[in-house]
C-alpha cells in the first residue's frame, strides 16, 4: 500500500495516493509497526505538500515525527528524521505566518537525526543532519550558527568519505561567508 501510494504520487494522483496511505497506516498501526507507520505518514505528508494541502500535511508530518522519534537508534531513524526536518523546513518557506514554528520543528527533527547518527557512528547521516540544520539557521539569518553547523557537516562528510554531500556543505559555507561579507573566505569555500 505504501508503494502503491508512492506510485500514485508519481502519477500526480494525490487522492488515490492518500487512499493507499490511509489504508496502509491503519494496517501498520494494527500490527504495531512504528517504523512502517512513520514511513507511510511521511510519504503521505510529502504527497499532501505536493498537492498544496499544508494543513493535512502538518498532521501527517507530526505523526511521522512521533513514530520516528520512538524508534530505536538506526540508520533508518536518522534518515527518517532528516526527511521530516526537511519537510518542516519546506512548510516554513510556504507558510510565512508560521515559519518560526516550522523552523523550530525542523531544527528539533534534525537535531534528533544528528544525535541518532552520532550514537550509531553514522558520519554520512550526521553530515546531512548537521548541514540541513545549517540551512534552517541560514533561513533565520543566523549566519554564524549556520556556519558552525555547516562546518560540522563538512567534517562529518570527510569522516564518511562522502564527497556527494561535502560539496553541498562547501557551497553552503561559501554562501554563508558571502552573506557575512567575508568574500575571500567565501571564494575559497
Amino acid at each position: 500500500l505504501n508503494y502503491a501510494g508512492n506510485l500514485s504520487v508519481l502519477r500526480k494522483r494525490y487522492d488515490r495516493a492518500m487512499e493507499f496511505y490511509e489504508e496502509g497506516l491503519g494496517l501498520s498501526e494494527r500490527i504495531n509497526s512504528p517504523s512502517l507507520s512513520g514511513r507511510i505518514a511521511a510519504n503521505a505528508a510529502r504527497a499532501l505538500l505536493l498537492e498544496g494541502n499544508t494543513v493535512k500535511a502538518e498532521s501527517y508530518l507530526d505523526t511521522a515525527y512521533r513514530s520516528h522519534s520512538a524508534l530505536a537508534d538506526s540508520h533508518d531513524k536518522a534518515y527518517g528524521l532528516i526527511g521530516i526536518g526537511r519537510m518542516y523546513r519546506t512548510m516554513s518557506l510556504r507558510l510565512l505566518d508560521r515559519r518560526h514554528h516550522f523552523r523550530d520543528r525542523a531544527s528539533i527533527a534534525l537535531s534528533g537525526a544528528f544525535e541518532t547518527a552520532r550514537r550509531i557512528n553514522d558520519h554520512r547521516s550526521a553530515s546531512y543532519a548537521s548541514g540541513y540544520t545549517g540551512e534552517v539557521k541560514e533561513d533565520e539569518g543566523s549566519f554564524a550558527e549556520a556556519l558552525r553547523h555547516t562546518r560540522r557537516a563538512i567534517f562529518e562528510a570527510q569522516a564518511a568519505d562522502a564527497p556527494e554531500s561535502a560539496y553541498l556543505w562547501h557551497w553552503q559555507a561559501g554562501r554563508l561567508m558571502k552573506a557575512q561579507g567575508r568574500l575571500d573566505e567565501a571564494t575559497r569555500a
Side-chain angles (χ1 to χ4, degrees):
L1 291 168
N2 185 43
Y3 293 129
N6 293 345
L7 183 59
S8 294
V9 168
L10 291 173
R11 294 179 175 160
K12 297 184 185 334
R13 296 181 60 206
Y14 302 113
D15 289 343
R16 185 71 178 130
M18 289 310 298
E19 291 172 11
F20 286 124
Y21 291 141
E22 287 172 7
E23 187 177 350
L25 266 174
L27 289 172
S28 67
E29 288 169 0
R30 270 205 320 258
I31 64 169
N32 193 26
S33 177
S35 174
L36 186 55
S37 294
R39 194 172 318 124
I40 294 171
N43 287 336
R46 189 172 288 109
L48 289 162
L49 277 174
L50 288 170
E51 186 181 32
N53 188 341
T54 54
V55 172
K56 262 183 108 172
E58 180 180 3
S59 174
Y60 278 96
L61 201 48
D62 290 344
T63 298
Y65 174 75
R66 285 190 300 275
S67 293
H68 277 86
S69 294
L71 297 175
D73 287 345
S74 67
H75 177 80
D76 288 342
K77 176 181 179 177
Y79 273 98
L81 289 170
I82 289 167
I84 290 163
R86 296 194 73 207
M87 282 190 276
Y88 278 128
R89 178 184 179 258
T90 297
M91 292 184 75
S92 79
L93 298 173
R94 290 187 185 174
L95 301 170
L96 298 180
D97 58 323
R98 297 186 63 209
R99 69 180 169 266
H100 299 296
H101 167 75
F102 289 117
R103 282 183 192 154
D104 288 346
R105 299 292 299 166
S107 292
I108 290 167
L110 291 166
S111 175
F114 181 78
E115 292 306 318
T116 298
R118 294 291 292 212
R119 286 191 294 269
I120 63 172
N121 203 30
D122 182 348
H123 295 288
R124 187 177 311 269
S125 58
S127 172
Y128 281 107
S130 192
Y132 289 131
T133 299
E135 189 176 53
V136 171
K137 298 304 177 187
E138 179 182 14
D139 292 343
E140 294 173 357
S142 302
F143 300 124
E145 190 175 358
L147 190 55
R148 184 176 57 81
H149 287 286
T150 302
R151 284 184 171 141
R152 185 168 59 190
I154 292 168
F155 172 81
E156 294 291 346
Q158 290 169 342
D161 191 25
E164 72 282 358
S165 65
Y167 89 92
L168 294 170
W169 315 134
H170 283 289
W171 174 42
Q172 185 166 290
R175 233 182 20 249
L176 292 164
M177 289 176 200
K178 180 181 176 191
Q180 294 176 316
R182 299 160 53 186
L183 299 181
D184 289 340
E185 291 173 273
T187 301
R188 282 193 300 276

